Amino acid sequence: MTLVKDTSGIEFERGESSPPRLLDPFQRAITYLRVSVTDRCDFRCVYCMSEHMTFLPKADLLSLEELDRLCSAFVAKGVNKLRLTGGEPLVRRGIMTLVSSLSRHLASGALKELTLTTNGSQLQKHAAELQAHGVKRINISLDTLNADRFRAITRWGNLDNVMAGIHAAQAQGLQIKINAVALKGVNEDEIVNLVEWAHGRGMDLTVIEVMPLGDVDESRLDQYLPLSIVRARLAERFTLEDIDYRTGGPARYVRVKETGGRLGFITPLTHNFCESCNRVRVTCTGTLYMCLGQSDAADLRKPLRASESNELLYSAIDEAISRKPKGHDFVIDRRHAKSALPRHMSMTGG
Ligand SMILES: C[S@@+](CC[C@H](N)C(=O)[O-])C[C@H]1O[C@@H](n2cnc3c(N)ncnc32)[C@H](O)[C@@H]1O
Ligand code: SF4
C-alpha cells in the first residue's frame, strides 16, 4: 500500500481521494476519538467492574496493526485528538508499538494530541517512552490518597505503584490531570485534600460523577454522590472562579483561587453536556459507539477486515456518524438504581 499526504499532511492511500470529514446530523464536527485498546485491567474498581469479570477472548480483539489502521482512518477523516484508554491501556501487550506508530500522525501535523487515560500502575515502566513518542499530557485516575481506601476501591491496586508512576511521568515533563470519581461515603471527605495535593504538584484535578454503566456488585444509588453537593462543600473551603477553559469535553472548569489550580467537574447526571459533543468511542473489538450513554453502535471490524483498501471502512464510519444521537439520558434514582446500560466503562473506555 502506498501512502501519500494531502495538503494538510494527512496520509491516505494512493488513488484514494481524501475522504470527507466527519459531521454529525447536529452539525457537530467529530474530531476526537477514544480507543479502548483492551477490556482487561489489573484493577477491579468497585464502580467500574464487578470482582469476577469475564473478559473477551483475545482472538476477538483487533490486533495492534488493525487498531493502527482504524485510528489512522479516523485521522484521515479529520480526527485530530486520539485518546487510548481501556480497561487499562498500559496492560495491553505491545502497546508502545501502537503509540510509536500513531506518533507519525503527530509528526505530520494531522494529530494535535495523542494521549491516554491510565490507572498509573504501569507508568513507571512506560513514562519515558510515552514522552519520547510525543505524548505530552495524560490523565491518571486516582480516587483517594489513602492506601487502605485505595485498596478497597480498586480491590487489587497498590497506591505506591501509582504514586511512583505519577512521579515518573512528572520527571519526564508529562502534564497530568488527575481524575477522581466522587463516591458516596467512600472518598467524599477527601476531595479537599485531593484538590490541595494535585494543585500543590502542578496537576489539574477533575471530579467525576458515577455513571450507571454495567452491573457492578454494588447499587449505583449507594455509590452516587451528586457533584452539586461536592461543589457546594468545596465552595465552603475555597473560592471557585468560573473560567472559560474547555477541552471540548464534558468537564466544566473553575480556578481555585487559593491554589491557583484548575478543577473540573464532569456531571453527566446533574448537567447535560451533550450539545458540544465532538467525540466517539471505539472498543478493542472495533465496535464504534457514537454516544457513551446510548446502546447504538456500528461494527467497524468487518469492513476493516473485508478489504485492504479503506473505502468500506470510511463508508461504515460515515454511516455510523450519520446516526450519532443528540445526547444521552442517564438516570440514577430509586426506580433506576441499576445500570442504564449493560456495558461496563472498561469496554467503551472513559
Ligand atoms: C474505564 S477507565 C479506563 C482507563 C484506566 N484504566 C483508568 O482507570 O484511568 C477511565 C475512567 O473511567 C472512570 N470510570 C469507570 N467506571 C466509571 C463509572 N461507572 N462512572 C464514572 N466513571 C467511571 C474511571 O475512574 C477512569 O477515570
Ligand atoms: S476504572 Fe480503570 S483502573 Fe479501575 S477497573 Fe476500570 S479500567 Fe481498571
Side-chain angles (χ1 to χ4, degrees), residues 47-48 85-88 117-119 141 181 209-211 220 345 350:
Y47 48 80
C48 178
T85 176
E88 173 47 42
T117 301
T118 173
N119 65 22
S141 306
V181 177
E209 253 169 16
V210 169
M211 295 177 231
R220 291 294 180 188
M345 189 78 140

Side-chain angles (χ1 to χ4, degrees), residues 39-49 86-88 118-119 141 154 345-346:
D39 62 333
R40 288 165 198 253
C41 186
D42 52 347
F43 291 2
R44 292 287 180 279
C45 300
V46 291
Y47 48 80
C48 178
M49 293 192 181
E88 173 47 42
T118 173
N119 65 22
S141 306
T154 62
M345 189 78 140
S346 51

Side-chain angles (χ1 to χ4, degrees), residues 286-306:
T287 303
L288 179 69
Y289 283 95
M290 287 71 85
C291 172
L292 180 65
Q294 303 276 2
S295 310
D296 190 24
D299 175 23
L300 299 183
R301 186 173 57 182
K302 206 164 161 200
L304 183 76
R305 289 184 174 168

Side-chain angles (χ1 to χ4, degrees), residues 232-251:
R233 287 183 192 153
L234 286 171
E236 287 170 13
R237 175 65 182 270
F238 299 117
T239 315
L240 308 180
E241 302 170 332
D242 282 319
I243 50 173
D244 255 356
Y245 180 74
R246 294 285 282 272
T247 56

Side-chain angles (χ1 to χ4, degrees), residues 27-275:
Q27 302 306 305
R28 295 171 297 192
I30 307 306
T31 53
Y32 183 6
L33 177 68
R34 293 187 170 213
V35 187
S36 175
V37 296
T38 174
D39 62 333
R40 288 165 198 253
C41 186
D42 52 347
F43 291 2
R44 292 287 180 279
C45 300
V46 291
Y47 48 80
C48 178
M49 293 192 181
S50 64
E51 188 153 15
H52 304 286
M53 293 287 289
T54 311
F55 294 110
L56 294 162
K58 291 211 169 122
D60 286 2
L61 264 56
L62 296 185
S63 67
L64 293 171
E65 293 74 18
E66 287 171 328
L67 280 168
D68 182 283
R69 201 178 135 209
L70 189 57
C71 292
S72 301
F74 275 95
V75 172
K77 289 185 77 58
V79 160
N80 58 31
K81 179 169 174 181
L82 260 183
R83 178 178 297 279
L84 305 183
T85 176
E88 173 47 42
L90 296 180
V91 303
R92 171 89 195 240
R93 197 185 296 258
I95 185 65
M96 284 303 149
T97 317
L98 179 65
V99 176
S100 164
S101 71
L102 290 174
S103 70
R104 72 187 185 280
H105 299 304
L106 286 172
S108 77
L111 262 192
K112 287 192 196 142
E113 186 167 29
L114 175 59
T115 183
L116 81 163
T117 301
T118 173
N119 65 22
S121 68
Q122 314 292 316
L123 254 184
Q124 221 185 343
K125 220 166 29 200
H126 295 303
E129 233 183 315
L130 287 170
Q131 193 277 341
H133 294 317
V135 174
K136 295 208 162 24
R137 304 189 305 169
I138 55 175
N139 290 357
I140 301 179
S141 306
L142 181 64
D143 310 318
T144 176
L145 299 171
N146 174 300
D148 294 333
R149 275 188 191 177
F150 186 80
R151 168 70 64 166
I153 295 172
T154 62
R155 293 195 183 101
W156 295 3
N158 176 323
L159 183 61
D160 288 343
N161 284 347
V162 175
M163 287 298 175
I166 291 174
H167 294 145
Q170 286 201 308
Q172 291 299 328
L174 296 178
Q175 276 181 48
I176 297 175
K177 178 162 78 73
I178 299 290
N179 283 339
V181 177
L183 296 163
K184 187 156 88 183
V186 177
N187 65 355
E188 54 183 304
D189 58 343
E190 251 193 280
I191 311 285
V192 166
N193 283 357
L194 279 164
V195 170
E196 286 173 340
W197 172 81
H199 289 180
R201 284 156 186 75
M203 303 183 283
D204 288 346
L205 174 74
T206 295
V207 193
I208 307 174
E209 253 169 16
V210 169
M211 295 177 231
L213 293 176
D215 277 334
V216 291
D217 302 327
E218 298 174 19
S219 156
R220 291 294 180 188
L221 198 60
D222 291 343
Q223 299 179 330
Y224 176 52
L225 176 64
L227 289 197
S228 47
I229 296 181
V230 174
R231 187 174 171 143
R233 287 183 192 153
L234 286 171
E236 287 170 13
R237 175 65 182 270
F238 299 117
T239 315
L240 308 180
E241 302 170 332
D242 282 319
I243 50 173
D244 255 356
Y245 180 74
R246 294 285 282 272
T247 56
R252 295 290 172 268
Y253 286 90
V254 296
R255 172 87 51 203
V256 178
K257 196 171 172 200
E258 290 76 4
T259 63
R262 231 170 3 218
L263 172 64
F265 297 94
I266 298 188
T267 55
L269 293 133
T270 52
H271 199 109
N272 207 304
F273 56 64
C274 304
E275 70 284 347

